[in-house]
């Protein structure tokens, strides 16, 4: 193993940012992980975690190290079942007296034996071989567990990413996955067991290459690899671009970049009603007819898509809005073909092609959405979700494939999100049923907000479904009777006892014909009536979503984002000063410190919060917090508190003692200790 601390000078950090890079040396014992390598990997990762630095792993290995003890290899003997007939097998391995003494002289701890006597010959039956060299078996597995656990913790604490620059086997493959973010170079497999070993288990030549098991056509399609590269250089370029969205140190402000694409512009591309590529909405496109560039929501050329080969009904990635990095999730509106390859090991298997409709969460796309949310949260990125889902796929196969479980993970991710989250129902988009539920702001009301475009729709069911349940034939007929005078007259005539039977029959026949004539138009009326319940005005009236206009969305969300980020930073600063203060009280204090005539003016709020000086406030909060802690200790043990005060006074300088004496002489007893939070 080799490790470095790199200092990168990038556009976001011209003075340099540090990252920890760990790599296998595949030229030494084919890059295998022995106990020493495991300990080194563990300590290097721990170093990165302790300092909040990003950790890059260059993976090129052969898994856990294996070996056999050489000390006994040329000394042991076999106890044959029948001497002179080895084909009849053997009973055990042993050392003769002479060889036993040789081992005892040079490697006494290398083996464990049991002394026996056979036909007058003293033998030392070998019961265990330990070996002098470390890294022959289970100790390598224990080390693998050590670095697996550390990598898992690192993913939670810092930014981790892996470049698969050569084969990654066994624990190497698990480290790729546990670090979550992975860039795989073409031709370099991620595998648990090599193809030759699997062929031996199967008893025939099934796999011809490790790439069949873990090449990019497998790992990029199943979401283990986030990105692919044709070379190491391209892979490193991907990592540097990814790092550009991430703070230099965990907990530091986001790396805001100066961009030429101004925040103060309209969005040129308008999502149509039919199917379209959602990437056009994010990054813009060139119009085929006019050759004019239609700008997207984010800064031009700032969108980096990841996990593009897996669960393609959802699009995820990172982009910039006015230079501010964000995580983004969007919805594919087109039908996608998912290919499930045949397994050469199973003669009965065959390639399957599964069609997945757009605007629907399937088990894989729900999992992808949740995974992206978890990744963005750990990267400290604010998140915007461009919602356009009709719901979850609830067929038998999807239920068996755990769509409920994967959908629940979306809620898990959002409920613990620590940065601002905007959910925006896009123009001509919709959000229905369970899809709304897993994105509702009440999941994390402190961080989430819901917006709906004026051309968007949302509700439990689509209008067709609502009409089938709540406006059946009897209600539509009542509507005809109320709105159509001809229909009402014919219905009255068909039931008028003063009419002859022939007249009533004629009226009934005419009524049926009128009903058939009006049915299509009144079905449309019913659909419109139901659709009017799904519009932005009702969402706003019920406090479920705020209205938004797509053309102006870039301007609006730029300042909304700056305001939420500034408030979040101020909130965290105040909370650190007094960890016991409730969020409600901290928000109340923050509101009192920021004076803005119109709280809905995001620009004014952002400017006010970004210019806020919290030094005196945090000092007072910290003082109140420590004083409260001291009073609680004093109530528990007054004598210890007095002794502590005496020691504190003894450690003060003359000037500090004078300040304390003056304060004691001028202070008045007060029952209030929390000036801001009492």
């Amino acid at each position: 193993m080799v490790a470095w601390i790199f200092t990168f000078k990038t556009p976001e950090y011209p003075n340099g940012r540090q990252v920890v890079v760990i790599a296998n040396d595949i030229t030494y014992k084919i890059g295998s992980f022995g106990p020493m390598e495991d300990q080194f990997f563990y300590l290097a990762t721990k170093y990165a975690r302790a300092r909040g630095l990003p950790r890059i792993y260059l993976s090129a290995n052969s898994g856990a190290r294996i070996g056999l003890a050489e000390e006994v290899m040329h000394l042991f003997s076999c106890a044959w079942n029948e001497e002179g007939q080895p084909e009849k097998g053997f009973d055990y391995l042993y050392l003769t007296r002479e060889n036993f003494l040789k081992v005892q002289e040079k490697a006494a701890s290398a083996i464990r034996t049991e002394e026996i006597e056979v036909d007058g010959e003293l033998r030392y039956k070998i019961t265990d071989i330990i070996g002098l060299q470390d890294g022959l078996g289970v100790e390598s597995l224990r080390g693998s567990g050590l670095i697996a656990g550390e990598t898992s913790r690192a993913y939670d604490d810092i930014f981790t990413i892996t470049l698969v620059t050569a084969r990654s086997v066994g624990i190497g493959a698990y480290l790729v996955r546990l670090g979550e973010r992975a860039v795989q170079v073409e031709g370099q497999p991620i595998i648990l067991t090599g193809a030759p070993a699997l062929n031996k288990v199967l008893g025939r030549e099934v796999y011809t290459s490790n790439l069949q098991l873990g090449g990019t056509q497998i790992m990029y399609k199943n979401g283990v690899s986030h990105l692919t590269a044709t070379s190491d250089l391209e892979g490193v370029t991907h990592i540097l671009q990814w790092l550009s969205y991430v703070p230099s140190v965990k907990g530091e402000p986001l790396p805001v970049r100066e961009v030429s694409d101004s925040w103060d512009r309209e969005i040129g591309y308008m999502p149509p009603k039919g199917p379209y590529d959602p990437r056009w909405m994010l990054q813009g496109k060139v119009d085929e007819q006019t050759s004019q560039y239609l700008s997207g929501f984010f800064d031009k050329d700032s969108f980096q898509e990841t996990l593009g080969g897996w669960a393609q009904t959802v699009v995820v990635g990172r982009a910039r809005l006015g230079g501010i990095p964000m995580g983004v999730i969007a919805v594919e509106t087109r039908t996608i073909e998912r290919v499930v390859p045949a397994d050469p090991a199973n003669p009965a298997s065959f390639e399957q092609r599964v069609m997945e409709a757009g605007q629907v969460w399937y088990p894989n796309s729900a999992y992808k959405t949740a995974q992206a949310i978890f990744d963005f949260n750990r990267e400290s990125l604010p998140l915007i979700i461009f919602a356009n889902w009709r719901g979850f796929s609830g067929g038998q196969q999807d239920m068996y494939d755990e769509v409920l479980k994967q959908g629940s993970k979306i809620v898990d991710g959002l409920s613990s999100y620590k940065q601002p989250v905007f959910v925006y129902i896009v123009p001509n988009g919709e959000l229905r049923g369970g899809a709304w539920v897993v994105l509702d702001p009440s999941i994390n009301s402190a961080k989430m907000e819901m917006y709906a475009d004026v051309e968007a729709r949302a509700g439990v069911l689509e209008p067709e479904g609502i009409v089938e349940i709540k406006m059946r034939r009897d209600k539509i007929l009542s509507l005809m009777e109320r709105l159509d005078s001809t229909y009402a007259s014919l219905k009255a005539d068909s039931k008028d006892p003063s009419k002859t039977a022939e007249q009533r029959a004629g009226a009934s026949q005419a009524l049926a014909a009128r009903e058939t004539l009006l049915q299509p138009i009144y079905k449309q009326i019913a659909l419109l009536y139901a659709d009017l319940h799904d519009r932005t005005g009702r969402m706003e009236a019920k406090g479920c979503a705020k209205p938004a206009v797509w053309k102006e969305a870039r301007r609006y969300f730029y300042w909304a984002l700056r305001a939420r980020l500034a408030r979040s930073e101020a909130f965290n600063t105040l909370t650190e000063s007094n960890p016991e203060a409730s969020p409600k009280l901290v928000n109340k204090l923050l509101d009192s410190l920021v004076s803005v005539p119109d709280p809905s003016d995001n620009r004014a709020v952002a400017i006010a919060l970004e210019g806020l000086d919290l030094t005196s406030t945090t000092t007072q909060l910290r003082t109140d917090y420590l004083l409260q802690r001291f009073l609680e200790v004093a109530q528990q043990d007054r004598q210890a508190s007095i002794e502590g005060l005496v020691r504190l006074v003894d450690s003060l300088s003359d000037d500090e003692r004078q300040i304390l004496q003056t304060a004691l002489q001028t202070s008045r007893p007060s029952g209030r200790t929390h000036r801001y939070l009492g």
Side-chain angles (χ1 to χ4, degrees):
M1 302 298 302
V2 189
W4 303 265
I5 301 173
F6 276 82
T7 300
F8 295 152
K9 293 187 176 181
T10 66
E12 303 79 32
Y13 295 99
N15 295 325
R17 64 178 298 169
Q18 288 191 328
V19 299
V20 173
V21 180
I22 308 174
N24 299 104
D25 183 355
I26 203 167
T27 66
Y28 179 75
K29 295 193 175 181
I30 59 175
S32 59
F33 286 90
M36 292 284 287
E37 287 80 6
D38 293 329
Q39 189 66 20
F40 185 88
F41 188 101
Y42 168 77
L43 292 174
T45 302
K46 196 172 182 181
Y47 178 94
R49 278 209 305 133
R51 290 157 179 78
L53 297 175
R55 192 212 70 180
I56 301 172
Y57 171 41
L58 307 179
S59 181
N61 58 75
S62 302
R65 185 169 300 159
I66 58 176
L68 295 172
E70 298 291 336
E71 301 83 17
V72 193
M73 181 76 74
H74 306 293
L75 298 175
F76 70 83
S77 301
C78 286
W80 304 107
N81 290 331
E82 290 191 26
E83 198 65 36
Q85 298 186 40
E87 69 275 8
K88 292 189 176 182
F90 65 94
D91 189 12
Y92 55 85
L93 304 180
Y94 68 94
L95 295 174
T96 63
R97 174 68 178 171
E98 179 185 359
N99 288 336
F100 176 74
L101 292 176
K102 288 181 181 179
V103 173
Q104 288 298 303
E105 181 182 352
K106 296 182 179 180
S109 61
I111 62 169
R112 292 179 181 175
T113 61
E114 177 185 331
E115 186 177 320
I116 60 175
E117 186 175 339
V118 178
D119 298 331
E121 179 191 7
L122 192 62
R123 295 180 176 181
Y124 294 86
K125 180 181 177 181
I126 301 174
T127 59
D128 301 278
I129 300 177
I130 289 90
L132 293 180
Q133 185 180 358
D134 212 10
L136 302 181
V138 292
E139 65 272 32
S140 296
L141 297 178
R142 181 178 64 178
S144 296
L146 175 72
I147 60 178
E150 182 61 21
T151 301
S152 178
R153 288 186 291 273
Y155 169 69
D156 284 332
D157 293 347
I158 58 176
F159 177 82
T160 57
I161 192 167
T162 302
L163 175 63
V164 182
T165 183
R167 65 175 180 265
S168 297
V169 184
I171 180 58
Y174 275 108
L175 292 176
V176 172
R177 177 55 186 165
L178 289 167
E180 295 292 348
R181 306 168 193 87
V183 181
Q184 185 177 8
V185 177
E186 294 283 357
Q188 309 303 335
I190 303 170
I191 56 175
L192 295 178
T193 307
L198 280 177
N199 288 338
K200 288 182 180 179
V201 172
L202 295 170
R204 64 185 191 278
E205 292 295 316
V206 173
Y207 299 106
T208 59
S209 167
N210 286 331
L211 293 176
Q212 285 181 279
L213 301 169
T216 52
Q217 82 282 3
I218 300 294
M219 294 302 171
Y220 185 54
K221 298 296 185 181
N222 67 12
V224 171
S225 296
H226 289 60
L227 294 168
T228 62
T230 57
S231 65
D232 289 342
L233 178 60
E234 185 182 353
V236 170
T237 304
H238 285 324
I239 291 177
L240 290 175
Q241 184 180 357
W242 204 323
L243 277 171
S244 71
Y245 301 103
V246 181
S248 59
V249 177
K250 180 74 172 181
E252 291 293 311
L254 292 168
V256 179
R257 178 188 286 185
E258 291 291 331
V259 293
S260 58
D261 192 359
S262 172
W263 62 268
D264 189 14
R265 65 163 173 81
E266 293 184 349
I267 300 173
Y269 178 77
M270 171 63 73
K273 289 187 176 181
Y276 60 93
D277 188 338
R279 296 162 190 83
W280 298 341
M281 176 179 68
L282 306 179
Q283 62 189 5
K285 64 165 294 191
V286 175
D287 187 89
E288 294 88 348
Q289 297 179 348
T290 64
S291 299
Q292 179 185 0
Y293 174 73
L294 303 175
S295 59
F297 180 87
F298 291 109
D299 300 344
K300 187 177 181 181
D301 298 328
S302 73
F303 176 61
Q304 181 192 36
E305 183 178 358
T306 56
L307 295 170
W310 172 49
Q312 294 177 325
T313 55
V314 168
V315 176
V316 304
R318 292 148 190 81
R320 279 189 158 79
L321 178 61
I324 305 172
M326 296 188 76
V328 55
I329 299 174
V331 186
E332 179 61 77
T333 59
R334 300 167 297 178
T335 298
I336 297 298
E337 182 182 69
R338 177 167 62 92
V339 179
V340 181
D343 185 357
N346 180 7
S349 71
F350 56 91
E351 183 180 270
Q352 300 179 55
R353 295 180 178 271
V354 182
M355 305 306 293
E356 295 180 341
Q359 298 179 266
V360 177
W361 259 318
Y362 294 91
N364 59 353
S365 54
Y367 186 11
K368 178 177 176 177
T369 304
Q371 181 64 63
I373 292 170
F374 283 119
D375 287 347
F376 297 149
N377 192 22
R378 284 158 176 78
E379 294 170 27
S380 301
L381 291 177
L383 169 62
I384 185 165
I385 301 174
F386 292 104
N388 188 8
W389 283 282
R390 297 168 60 196
F392 287 87
S393 179
Q396 183 188 61
Q397 186 63 48
D398 295 315
M399 295 298 285
Y400 182 80
D401 289 339
E402 305 172 340
V403 68
L404 277 176
K405 184 186 295 184
Q406 309 305 345
S408 298
K409 288 179 182 176
I410 298 172
V411 179
D412 293 338
L414 291 174
S415 66
S416 58
Y417 212 87
K418 295 180 175 60
Q419 300 295 329
V421 179
F422 302 109
V423 180
Y424 182 18
I425 309 176
V426 299
N428 301 309
E430 56 186 319
L431 195 59
R432 305 284 179 185
W436 177 294
V437 173
V438 301
L439 298 178
D440 190 84
S442 59
I443 292 170
N444 187 351
S445 57
K447 298 296 182 182
M448 294 180 65
E449 299 175 40
M450 176 80 81
Y451 293 85
D453 193 86
V454 291
E455 297 298 327
R457 302 289 186 269
V460 178
L461 296 175
E462 295 175 348
E464 291 81 1
I466 288 288
V467 168
E468 285 295 323
I469 297 171
K470 293 296 183 180
M471 287 193 72
R472 295 182 179 176
R473 183 172 179 272
D474 58 332
K475 289 190 175 181
I476 291 181
L477 294 181
S478 298
L479 191 62
M480 288 183 189
E481 185 177 0
R482 185 173 66 82
L483 298 179
D484 188 78
S485 57
T486 303
Y487 182 89
S489 176
L490 289 172
K491 186 173 182 180
D493 290 345
S494 68
K495 295 181 179 180
D496 189 350
S498 64
K499 302 286 185 180
T500 64
E502 291 79 4
Q503 290 175 324
R504 288 197 301 270
S508 297
Q509 187 176 1
L511 180 67
R514 186 69 176 175
E515 180 183 328
T516 302
L517 176 67
L518 296 178
Q519 190 71 29
I521 192 66
Y522 273 81
K523 184 67 177 292
Q524 294 178 29
I525 292 172
L527 290 174
L528 176 59
Y529 185 75
D531 179 74
L532 291 170
H533 291 71
D534 295 344
R535 300 195 179 185
T536 308
R538 189 172 193 279
M539 299 181 221
E540 182 183 18
K542 290 297 181 180
C544 295
K546 302 174 186 176
V549 178
W550 176 249
K551 287 282 186 185
E552 298 294 326
R554 179 176 166 87
R555 292 189 179 104
Y556 178 87
F557 282 105
Y558 171 74
W559 286 108
L561 178 59
R562 281 185 57 172
R564 305 306 180 272
L565 288 173
R567 186 177 184 88
S568 181
E569 185 177 353
F571 180 91
N572 292 337
T573 301
L574 296 177
T575 303
E576 288 172 4
S577 301
N578 190 335
E580 292 190 354
S582 69
K584 182 178 179 181
L585 289 175
V586 174
N587 278 317
K588 184 177 179 182
L589 171 60
L590 202 51
D591 290 337
S592 69
L593 296 173
V594 179
S595 178
V596 178
D598 181 8
S600 64
D601 184 349
N602 288 315
R603 185 171 187 170
V605 172
I607 293 172
L609 284 167
E610 290 169 354
L612 199 60
D613 185 0
L614 295 174
T615 306
S616 60
T617 306
T618 53
T619 300
Q620 186 59 52
L621 279 173
R622 189 66 180 167
T623 301
D624 290 346
Y625 171 70
L626 294 175
L627 177 58
Q628 184 64 26
R629 298 290 69 73
F630 179 78
L631 292 175
E632 290 176 358
V633 172
Q635 291 176 356
Q636 295 173 5
D637 193 334
R638 211 166 188 81
Q639 183 62 35
S641 301
I642 294 173
E643 291 177 2
L645 275 175
V646 171
R647 292 185 183 182
L648 176 62
V649 172
D650 288 342
S651 67
L652 296 177
S653 65
D654 292 339
D655 291 340
E656 289 171 334
R657 289 184 184 183
Q658 184 61 45
I659 294 172
L660 177 62
Q661 184 177 359
T662 303
L664 290 172
Q665 290 173 348
T666 58
S667 66
R668 296 180 180 180
S670 174
R672 181 167 179 167
T673 60
H674 289 70
R675 181 175 305 176
Y676 290 98
L677 303 174

